[in-house]
Amino acid sequence: MAGRMILYRGSLKSCNYHCSYCPFSKRRGTERELKQDRERWLSFAEDVVRKADRLGIRAVMAAPYGEALLHPWYWEGLARISACGKMDAVGAQTNLSFSAPEALQRFDACGGDRRKLRLWATFHPEMVTAEAFAGQCKRLLEEGILLCAGAVGVPEHIGILRELRKQLPEEIYMWINRMDGRKLPYTREEKNAFLEIDPYFLRELAPVLADADQCKDRLFVEGGRGLRTCNLSEVFDREPEAFGKMEHVPKQHCSRKRCSCYLAYGGRDDFMNRILFGEYPLFRIPRRPGAVFLDIEGTLLQKRGPGKETFLSEMVLAGLTALSLESIPLFFATTLPYPDARRRCREIWHLFSGGIFAGGAHLFFWKEHRELFSYLEEDCAAELARWKETLCFRMLTYRNRGRIYKITLCRTAHRPWRGEEVQRLAAAVPEISAGGVRCFAEGSCLQFVAAGADKAEGVRTFCRWMGISPEETAAAGDSAEDEEMLRLCGR
Ligand code: SF4
């Protein structure tokens, strides 16, 4: 992520709505409770501004139990945080029942920066009509406020949720949350109905195993009750003013088995979160890149552990499905040659429009019937083959219509290539020493492709073909071969 993101939950437990399932329904806070909540939130906002630089805090979202945005002090605090030059984004979860003109007037009067404001709006069909809720969304959008809108996936509400989707402006993403505590799984029809409304809905159904390493850049601050890593993990510092006294970022703590709600899994540093929702995915506002380039080994296919088989997680599959339903072109970006990539990714092949294969030596945009190879000279293979006995390797050549576009020199895992061996080869093969060949190590293999053929160059070519700029695209990968591509594609 670009910086650390904090979720804040104060002591507020009151709401103006009385939804049947909610414990805070129509509960009015006492004067003392509200005063305390106000003091805590404003002192938290002050601490954020004071510490943003030192602690690398770049985004904050208030995720209250009740409805916070009815209270003017929340707008004041949001404004103060947004005015801090170090902050990229600030927002809150809300039922949208506040008066937009009054709230924004206060936000502006307190020096707020509307460009940084993000709202997560929840629709409560028992309390408000789809028309009124969509009207409030439109008003805010017209005022330049970014927001997402959505509701709990109650099957009985499918009709009204469809209606809401119809009434919302197209650019507002409508999410559906899995219904907690539901005993029966969704039927196929219900699942499809929700997926039609929310293309990202399968992510709500995919199991996500907890992995605290993905949560290094996040913190959950509870007004008066201490610190956690996320809303589900345990409190690790109960000191009431823990955040105010914090001098350095604490190590993440988590003993959960699963990250079972959006506020948990959506804030993880998984590549798919960033591809779908940008640097601060917890705001849940889709990024919708012009195209997505994805490495295969270690990215699309992840390892369960050292020496274990790679696998495609349900969460990654759900993310790919979402991108494909959003009509965002997907491309592989891999050092594997096309046939190997196809074999490894059989299950998801139909979702992709093409790929950068063989480390950039083969570009194939099958949806547009475009294909390009960067070839090596035949002599290069002949020269390399001479060193087989001396340097002990097996040589594979990859050809198209008889011409070579990639050479791989394989060794066993316990005998990786040493720097001086590579230099010896480079000096001995004229095409390499003249700079006509790019050589890179990958595990115990040495790969040779034409100079200038790499993933970043592949992205540039695809972008030219599609008439978009690389900044509009997104990419994910986990090795040195991906670095330039990641720098090139938009953050
Ligand atoms: S439960 Fe929370 S802290 Fe633990 S791994 Fe999941 S998101 Fe991270």
Side-chain angles (χ1 to χ4, degrees):
M1 287 192 208
R4 192 154 280 116
M5 175 151 182
I6 298 183
L7 278 182
Y8 175 86
R9 179 168 290 157
S11 46
L12 189 81
K13 291 189 174 63
S14 55
C15 188
N16 54 329
Y17 281 180
H18 48 89
C19 307
S20 50
Y21 58 85
C22 178
F24 312 109
S25 146
K26 220 35 174 184
R27 184 184 174 279
R28 289 171 72 94
T30 65
E31 231 171 83
R32 200 171 139 266
E33 282 169 350
L34 294 178
K35 182 169 175 279
Q36 190 182 52
D37 184 60
R38 176 180 186 277
E39 284 168 4
R40 285 175 172 165
W41 163 249
L42 291 179
S43 115
F44 166 75
E46 216 173 277
D47 288 336
V48 167
V49 172
R50 198 163 42 84
K51 288 162 177 270
D53 192 16
R54 187 154 38 98
L55 300 182
I57 303 164
R58 297 290 177 264
V60 167
M61 181 164 82
Y65 275 136
E67 175 52 41
L69 295 193
L70 289 173
H71 304 293
W73 61 86
Y74 273 94
W75 288 99
E76 269 173 56
L78 291 173
R80 285 186 203 167
I81 297 172
S82 75
C84 168
K86 291 284 164 195
M87 297 301 292
D88 293 332
V90 61
Q93 293 184 317
T94 171
N95 62 20
L96 287 193
S97 59
F98 54 84
S99 150
E102 275 175 36
L104 292 177
Q105 199 179 24
R106 181 167 288 268
F107 182 80
D108 294 342
C110 295
D113 183 342
R114 289 190 186 194
R115 292 166 306 175
K116 297 185 187 174
L117 190 58
R118 315 270 184 269
L119 297 179
W120 160 316
T122 305
F123 172 57
H124 299 279
E126 295 174 60
M127 300 304 305
V128 62
T129 63
E131 196 186 353
F133 184 84
Q136 178 79 321
C137 291
K138 277 182 217 160
R139 254 189 301 282
L140 288 161
L141 196 65
E142 280 159 17
E143 292 287 345
I145 310 302
L146 285 176
L147 74 157
C148 66
V152 177
V154 179
E156 293 71 24
H157 293 166
I158 286 172
I160 190 165
L161 295 179
R162 277 194 182 126
E163 185 52 35
L164 176 63
R165 178 62 276 177
K166 255 193 244 157
Q167 303 232 8
L168 282 172
E170 215 178 298
E171 63 263 51
I172 294 185
Y173 162 56
M174 182 171 163
W175 48 264
I176 299 290
N177 273 357
R178 190 192 62 233
M179 192 177 164
D180 265 347
R182 191 181 142 85
K183 302 225 164 56
L184 293 170
Y186 287 116
T187 63
R188 189 191 304 178
E189 289 72 26
E190 289 164 353
K191 213 173 6 177
N192 287 341
F194 287 134
L195 195 57
E196 237 172 68
I197 298 169
D198 172 9
Y200 302 69
F201 180 63
L202 294 182
R203 282 166 45 92
E204 279 289 298
L205 308 181
V208 183
L209 294 181
D211 175 3
D213 284 347
Q214 300 291 338
C215 298
K216 290 190 186 101
D217 282 327
R218 63 190 307 191
L219 196 60
F220 189 85
V221 177
E222 288 187 289
R225 287 204 296 166
L227 304 176
R228 306 166 186 248
T229 299
C230 84
N231 58 311
L232 297 182
S233 62
E234 66 273 20
V235 178
F236 62 78
D237 189 340
R238 288 187 184 279
E239 180 87 22
E241 291 305 319
F243 179 69
K245 292 179 188 155
M246 208 168 91
E247 288 304 320
H248 62 274
V249 179
K251 191 178 164 5
Q252 68 277 22
H253 294 70
C254 179
S255 52
R256 297 286 296 205
K257 289 208 164 52
R258 303 220 160 180
C259 316
S260 51
C261 68
Y262 191 85
L263 282 187
Y265 77 74
R268 291 174 32 140
D269 199 20
D270 301 73
F271 79 88
M272 193 51 89
N273 276 344
R274 277 178 283 117
I275 296 270
L276 298 175
F277 294 99
E279 297 295 356
Y280 305 105
L282 274 176
F283 291 118
R284 221 171 180 172
I285 297 176
R287 176 178 175 188
R288 297 186 176 119
V292 174
F293 297 88
L294 297 163
D295 169 45
I296 294 179
E297 299 295 343
T299 303
L300 280 173
L301 305 178
Q302 292 156 351
K303 268 216 157 135
R304 284 180 213 274
K308 299 243 170 88
E309 273 293 291
T310 52
F311 73 108
L312 175 76
S313 77
E314 278 186 55
M315 202 53 162
V316 169
L317 180 57
L320 294 174
T321 306
L323 288 163
S324 151
L325 288 171
E326 292 261 54
S327 306
I328 293 166
L330 296 175
F331 299 99
F332 296 106
T334 177
T335 55
L336 293 172
Y338 173 91
D340 293 1
R342 181 153 196 166
R343 198 172 52 249
R344 304 279 292 130
C345 298
R346 214 173 288 133
E347 206 184 324
I348 49 176
W349 197 260
H350 63 286
L351 299 172
F352 281 71
S353 303
I356 299 164
F357 300 101
H362 176 202
L363 312 181
F364 191 7
F365 194 172
W366 50 81
K367 282 267 161 76
E368 296 287 328
H369 310 288
R370 285 177 183 260
E371 195 168 23
L372 196 70
F373 285 89
S374 302
Y375 292 109
L376 292 166
E377 294 297 333
E378 199 65 40
D379 290 354
C380 182
E383 292 286 347
L384 285 171
R386 281 183 216 207
W387 290 82
K388 258 189 199 168
E389 305 295 313
T390 323
L391 292 176
C392 289
F393 57 78
R394 193 162 58 90
M395 184 163 130
L396 304 173
T397 50
Y398 297 90
R399 293 173 186 270
N400 175 54
R401 297 174 193 271
R403 293 187 67 187
I404 300 173
Y405 62 91
K406 185 185 176 198
I407 300 171
T408 303
L409 308 187
C410 308
R411 276 181 167 176
T412 52
H414 62 270
R415 193 161 176 225
W417 287 89
R418 294 198 313 272
E420 70 265 25
E421 291 173 320
V422 180
Q423 278 165 14
R424 229 170 126 192
L425 270 179
V429 178
E431 208 186 345
I432 304 177
S433 55
V437 175
R438 186 170 79 86
C439 166
F440 59 95
E442 206 177 30
S444 54
C445 294
L446 210 52
Q447 313 281 9
F448 297 86
V449 293
D454 59 29
K455 291 186 186 183
E457 202 41 48
V459 168
R460 286 190 193 95
T461 305
F462 271 99
C463 286
R464 268 197 306 277
W465 285 345
M466 287 184 285
I468 58 173
S469 97
E471 288 83 59
E472 294 169 57
T473 69
D478 68 337
S479 76
E481 272 296 290
D482 300 305
E483 280 169 14
E484 207 195 324
M485 170 178 79
L486 298 178
R487 267 195 298 274
L488 180 72
C489 295
R491 286 186 70 86

